[in-house]
Amino acid sequence: MKDIELLSPAGNAQKLRTAINFGADAVYMGMSKYSLRKNAGNFDIDELEEVRKIKAESGKKLYCTMNIIFSEEQIQAVKEYLPTLEDSPFDAFIITDIGLVPLFKKYLPSKALHLSTQASCINSESARMYYDMGFERVILGREASLDDIKRIKDAVPELELEAFVHGAMCMSYSGRCLLSSYLTGRSANQGDCSHTCRWNYKLHYALEEEERKGIYYPIEEDEAGYTTILSSKDLCMIDHLDDLRNAGLSSLKIEGRMKSIYYVAVVTRAYRKALDNDPDKDIFREDIFNVSHREFSTGFFYGRDSNDGAINRPTSYGYQREYMYLGTILEDLGNGKYSIDVKNQIRTNKLVEYLGPDIYSIKDDTFKLVDEDGHELVKLDHGKKGYLITDKPLKKGYILRSESDIKTLN
């Protein structure tokens, strides 16, 4: 499936390198302004030189998200911002607001435009209109089925089609959500979603619509009386790649700009191996179940009434997690010594695993930790500088993890 692009998320430069290192053909990211993932880290103008270097080294495509819904003040301000991106390393910009189209044609005519999933394009007439407006690619609304995708591609064969195939699903799917603003004052439509649909809720009244007396919405509660009624299942299409390809998709998109480097590495690697039909693809596939996730489904791809479709019911439990992400190998300093970026506590009395792009897992319980002066440590915490010493053959960018003490999180 070399003709299908594998598109992975990046919230910062380290995630960008990880996505590329673990098999992405292209990476999408946001700038610090006008991105719907305001808290993903994102990139500033002064960081684009490093992004440009990564692109030159890898030859991969980079897409920039500028997909908020613009206010009048913002649309005026962006006119001064766009010219600063003229020599940026981005191959395309992902936008929702149609008001940006003439501005891009004026200030950044050489950059391609991709329509964000937030625009909810799920039919061929809309797709044709967007193509005629100058969009090279449409990122389809999550409600589009495989049949819908095929019909859209047949109707507008010149248009590239992209779809999310893995990751979190929002309760409003591709639309505009007001729940976060209502409960927290943080607008999801301005990139500051507080993920209120993921919270646990207690019900004090039965859910009954005024005009439909006696008809109740089925709600499941846990032992403490909480429900995840607003939380959609996660999406996972790794077992259906042929169907996605045959439907006419050009790009398979992994959700997760706000998720960890570990998530980006494991999920990208699994889809890369599956797309390449690697002999060990099944082993790498199983590893996506070890990354923090909710109950998986195939979303709307097989219709709204499919057995595991996201619309049938919300997820019945919270996050599942089999492993704890510990950190990343930053540099090989020689003689078995490595600098590490520590994200969660590493202890010398606990088995760790190292993951690489082509290495499923290297187990190690004999490693040592030392501080900057070479003194041995029992543990190394997040934010602390130290080094790992091991006889295992590691490389820059490898991921460290250990089994989690907590298997399921709410």
Side-chain angles (χ1 to χ4, degrees):
M1 293 190 187
K2 295 291 187 181
D3 55 328
I4 293 185
E5 175 185 87
L6 178 60
L7 178 57
S8 293
N12 55 43
Q14 192 174 2
K15 289 182 185 178
L16 172 57
R17 290 187 181 277
T18 298
I20 292 172
N21 191 32
F22 278 75
D25 297 310
V27 181
Y28 66 102
M29 64 200 71
M31 296 295 288
S32 55
K33 292 183 177 181
Y34 313 125
S35 168
L36 269 182
R37 289 296 179 264
K38 183 177 179 180
N39 301 313
N42 297 315
F43 297 81
D44 293 317
I45 289 290
D46 57 5
E47 294 178 290
L48 288 185
E49 191 55 44
E50 182 176 4
V51 175
R52 185 177 289 104
K53 179 181 177 182
I54 295 172
K55 178 179 174 62
E57 292 172 351
S58 66
K60 305 297 184 180
K61 289 187 175 182
L62 304 180
Y63 308 138
C64 179
T65 61
M66 198 174 287
N67 54 348
I68 67 165
I69 300 165
F70 283 74
S71 67
E72 179 60 26
E73 181 180 352
Q74 290 169 327
I75 203 70
Q76 297 304 324
V78 81
K79 295 177 183 178
E80 297 182 6
Y81 183 67
L82 288 181
T84 66
L85 300 174
E86 184 176 5
D87 65 344
S88 68
F90 302 119
D91 297 280
F93 285 81
I94 302 169
I95 68 171
T96 302
D97 199 316
I98 302 305
L100 288 177
V101 174
L103 299 182
F104 268 90
K105 289 182 178 179
K106 179 178 180 179
Y107 297 112
L108 299 174
S110 64
K111 301 294 185 180
L113 289 179
H114 293 180
L115 183 75
S116 171
T117 188
Q118 292 295 117
S120 301
C121 180
I122 56 172
N123 67 70
S124 57
E125 292 298 331
S126 294
R128 169 62 68 181
M129 181 195 72
Y130 287 120
Y131 178 74
D132 291 342
M133 290 176 65
F135 284 89
E136 181 179 286
R137 177 183 296 185
V138 163
I139 306 165
L140 295 164
R142 285 171 170 81
E143 300 91 334
S145 68
L146 290 171
D147 288 341
D148 293 334
I149 296 169
K150 189 175 189 310
R151 293 172 68 180
I152 293 170
K153 186 64 178 178
D154 288 344
V156 198
E158 311 92 336
L159 181 65
E160 293 182 0
L161 300 180
E162 176 181 311
F164 281 93
V165 299
H166 192 96
M169 297 267 281
C170 176
M171 64 169 291
S172 65
Y173 301 106
S174 304
R176 303 171 184 180
C177 181
L178 300 176
L179 186 65
S180 179
S181 294
Y182 179 74
L183 292 177
T184 70
R186 292 170 51 184
S187 174
N189 301 318
Q190 292 291 313
D192 201 19
C193 180
S194 57
H195 303 286
T196 45
C197 59
R198 301 299 197 189
W199 298 355
N200 294 327
Y201 291 88
K202 273 196 173 182
L203 299 173
H204 298 283
Y205 302 97
L207 192 62
E208 178 187 38
E209 203 275 325
E210 181 180 8
E211 299 299 324
R212 295 166 177 80
K213 301 295 185 182
I215 300 176
Y216 301 99
Y217 189 90
I219 299 170
E220 297 178 3
E221 297 179 344
D222 63 17
E223 294 179 356
Y226 288 99
T227 179
T228 53
I229 183 176
L230 298 175
S231 182
S232 299
K233 299 176 185 178
D234 281 2
L235 180 64
C236 179
M237 287 292 287
I238 196 167
D239 294 330
H240 308 280
L241 299 181
D242 284 336
D243 289 347
L244 295 168
R245 178 182 183 277
N246 292 335
L249 290 176
S250 299
S251 181
L252 309 183
K253 190 170 194 173
I254 297 170
E255 179 275 337
R257 280 196 288 140
M258 294 183 66
K259 294 185 179 178
S260 70
I261 289 174
Y262 172 54
Y263 167 92
V264 172
V266 170
V267 176
T268 299
R269 182 179 69 170
Y271 276 82
R272 178 78 276 151
K273 299 301 182 184
L275 286 169
D276 292 347
N277 200 26
D278 187 280
D280 296 321
K281 64 181 181 180
D282 290 341
I283 299 175
F284 293 103
R285 171 198 176 276
E286 288 301 311
D287 212 26
I288 64 174
F289 294 90
N290 295 324
V291 179
S292 181
H293 69 282
R294 288 181 175 82
E295 186 178 1
F296 281 138
S297 81
T298 56
F300 294 97
F301 283 113
Y302 293 97
R304 294 171 182 263
D305 298 321
S306 60
N307 290 332
D308 67 348
I311 200 169
N312 285 340
R313 61 183 175 86
T315 181
S316 57
Y317 43 75
Y319 281 116
Q320 301 173 73
R321 182 175 69 190
E322 296 297 324
Y323 287 87
M324 174 74 74
Y325 167 48
L326 301 180
T328 306
I329 299 294
L330 294 178
E331 296 289 344
D332 181 351
L333 303 175
N335 298 318
K337 184 178 181 181
Y338 301 89
S339 60
I340 46 179
D341 179 24
V342 183
K343 295 301 183 183
N344 286 291
Q345 186 183 88
I346 305 174
R347 300 189 66 91
T348 55
N349 61 352
K350 191 169 185 178
L351 178 72
V352 302
E353 296 183 28
Y354 311 112
L355 313 182
D358 298 305
I359 301 295
Y360 173 73
S361 171
I362 300 174
K363 292 180 171 59
D364 188 3
D365 60 2
T366 61
F367 66 92
K368 296 180 180 179
L369 299 171
V370 298
D371 62 19
E372 294 182 83
D373 297 321
H375 301 129
E376 285 198 30
L377 303 170
V378 174
K379 64 178 183 178
L380 194 57
D381 291 309
H382 171 61
K384 302 295 184 181
K385 189 171 183 179
Y387 304 93
L388 182 144
I389 297 176
T390 179
D391 59 357
K392 310 301 181 186
L394 308 183
K395 293 182 180 180
K396 178 180 178 179
Y398 275 23
I399 301 295
L400 286 76
R401 73 179 181 189
S402 64
E403 286 196 11
S404 174
D405 295 328
I406 303 174
K407 299 300 183 181
T408 301
L409 306 175
N410 289 322

